[in-house]
Amino acid sequence: MSTFFRRKAAAVTFAVLALSLAGGGIAAAQPSAKAPPDAAQPAARGTNAQPPVTAESARKAKAALNANSTLVATTSIVVVNSNGTKARGVGTVIKWGVGQYEIQFGHIVTSGVFVATIGRGDACCIPPAGEISVAPRLGTPNAVFVQTRNSAGTATDLGFHLVVHLA
């Protein structure tokens, strides 16, 4: 009798799990409500919309490379405030626009691993919710490009923590 109840409990557990997963998939597949035609839409997420490299940015990147070009393996960490100032860590921060940041390092990082998260530069409080994307900076081998958005997908200035690991 106890074996029957154990099997029945297991079957019920799997059924609940399967229905939960199926229901989540159905909910995710539903089309979202359309915004009014005059509402501002966030930039497409699938585009590579980095601003062009300026002569000043290229000059700074070359100077950073000349200052420290010998590197075997390292981890670089930088904390950036929402206004584009560096709170701590290494690298030079350039703020391009709302939610757009370039962080330049003294070494080439194109083959590195980039990890970024929304965060504050001080020891206070939980940071606001949001999204962050990080990629190698196009045209600048010693820089990383970071974009921050609020939870609705709109470009927003948010502070963040960035780790670049080179092996």
Side-chain angles (χ1 to χ4, degrees):
M1 186 76 156
S2 69
T3 305
F4 173 76
F5 285 118
R6 266 190 264 144
R7 286 183 186 165
K8 189 172 182 179
V12 169
T13 302
F14 285 119
V16 168
L17 178 62
L19 288 174
S20 297
L21 292 174
I26 292 168
Q30 294 293 327
S32 60
K34 291 189 177 186
D38 60 336
Q41 296 295 316
R45 295 178 193 224
T47 63
N48 197 355
Q50 294 184 12
V53 176
T54 63
E56 179 66 12
S57 174
R59 185 191 63 73
K60 287 181 180 179
K62 287 179 184 174
L65 277 175
N66 291 336
N68 181 19
S69 61
T70 306
L71 185 68
V72 177
T74 188
T75 299
S76 301
I77 299 170
V78 64
V79 177
V80 178
N81 296 313
S82 60
N83 63 2
T85 59
K86 181 172 66 173
R88 61 186 175 276
V90 298
T92 302
V93 180
I94 300 171
K95 186 171 186 317
W96 285 98
V98 177
Q100 295 183 332
Y101 309 87
E102 177 179 338
I103 298 85
Q104 297 178 345
F105 299 96
H107 48 275
I108 295 174
V109 297
T110 52
S111 64
V113 175
F114 314 122
V115 180
T117 186
I118 302 296
R120 294 176 51 105
D122 57 13
C124 172
C125 315
I126 295 173
E131 302 171 1
I132 189 165
S133 300
V134 60
R137 176 67 165 118
L138 297 177
T140 310
N142 62 315
V144 173
F145 190 76
V146 175
Q147 289 184 325
T148 58
R149 301 178 189 276
N150 63 17
S151 294
T154 305
T156 304
D157 290 336
L158 296 172
F160 59 91
H161 299 208
L162 172 67
V163 177
V164 176
H165 179 73
L166 302 171

